[in-house]
Amino acid sequence: MIRLLIADDQALVRGALAALLQLEDDLEVVAEVARGDEVVDAARESKPDVALLDVEMPGIDGLAAARLLRDAVPTCRVLMVTTFGRPGYLKQAMAAGASGFVVKDTPARQLADAVRRVHSGLRVVDPTLAAESLTQGDSPLTDREADVLQAARSGGTVAAIAATLFLSEGTVRNHLSSAIGKTGARTRAEAVRVAVDNGWLLPH
């Protein structure tokens, strides 16, 4: 039996995934959690072989959870199962140590097969996402530009962003200007939208 942990903040989705996977003779769901910061503790307790993680969860996101899980329970492989089929997330997931990345509308039989393949040590990536990822370069934003854009998402003033990130207002303006230029946007709100759509910033 392949033991599974499912992490998704939407109870309906989590329940549906568990129900579908439990229909398979060789798959057993041993833990379900609704928050990213519950993943490691649940994995330590239930000792799953494969963890299916959503990208967007409260507490910490699935990508951060995957990194922590890799260190805390190295025998557990990670399959990201997400609504956000964006090339940038694929790269971040692989960098976080995930073995696979599929979207939630993957047919049940394919999802079960993806779990088995990840468990056997193979990598599994949604083919459309893989093709898009190859044609799209890495994020053009520096870490600091990404931090400033992330902080700008709530629509706060430059002064508020500067206070949050412990930067001067001039530095924040420079980073925002640079990020707007790199994303081809006209406003910072548009720059945020472009960055999110490309997976350069995580969803809220």
Side-chain angles (χ1 to χ4, degrees), residues 166-187:
F166 304 103
L167 297 172
S168 71
E169 292 182 30
T171 299
V172 168
R173 286 195 191 91
N174 289 341
H175 285 315
L176 281 174
S177 176
S178 179
I180 288 168
K182 287 179 179 179
T183 55
R186 288 164 297 187
T187 65

Side-chain angles (χ1 to χ4, degrees), residues 14-199:
R14 194 171 65 247
L17 281 173
L20 285 170
L21 293 169
Q22 292 271 38
L23 293 173
E24 301 291 324
D25 293 338
D26 58 338
L27 304 182
E28 178 188 9
V29 177
V30 295
E32 295 180 41
V33 298
R35 298 173 56 89
D37 52 9
E38 295 173 349
V39 168
V40 169
D41 285 345
R44 282 184 173 135
E45 190 174 324
S46 60
K47 299 180 172 53
D49 300 305
V50 178
L52 290 82
L53 308 182
D54 187 19
V55 169
E56 185 182 16
M57 289 187 286
I60 60 173
D61 63 73
L63 299 173
R67 281 191 291 272
L68 292 174
L69 193 56
R70 178 182 58 187
D71 295 334
V73 189
T75 55
C76 180
R77 299 185 189 278
V78 173
L79 176 61
M80 306 300 299
V81 185
T82 182
T83 311
F84 299 98
R86 293 172 179 147
Y89 294 161
L90 170 58
K91 290 179 179 175
Q92 291 180 50
M94 293 305 169
S99 298
F101 196 108
V102 295
V103 290
K104 283 181 182 171
D105 59 4
T106 300
R109 190 172 295 277
Q110 287 183 28
L111 180 58
D113 187 50
V115 167
R116 293 184 188 103
R117 290 169 66 193
V118 164
H119 178 250
S120 70
L122 298 173
R123 284 221 159 168
V124 179
V125 176
D126 178 86
T128 305
L129 209 55
E132 290 176 359
S133 188
L134 287 172
T135 57
Q136 180 210 54
D138 292 329
S139 172
L141 303 173
T142 65
D143 288 345
R144 185 53 86 186
E145 287 163 359
D147 288 343
V148 169
L149 268 193
Q150 189 81 24
R153 293 175 72 169
S154 57
T157 62
V158 167
I161 296 168
T164 300
L165 298 177
F166 304 103
L167 297 172
S168 71
E169 292 182 30
T171 299
V172 168
R173 286 195 191 91
N174 289 341
H175 285 315
L176 281 174
S177 176
S178 179
I180 288 168
K182 287 179 179 179
T183 55
R186 288 164 297 187
T187 65
R188 75 180 191 186
E190 189 180 341
V192 166
R193 183 179 56 73
V194 170
V196 169
D197 286 347
N198 281 288

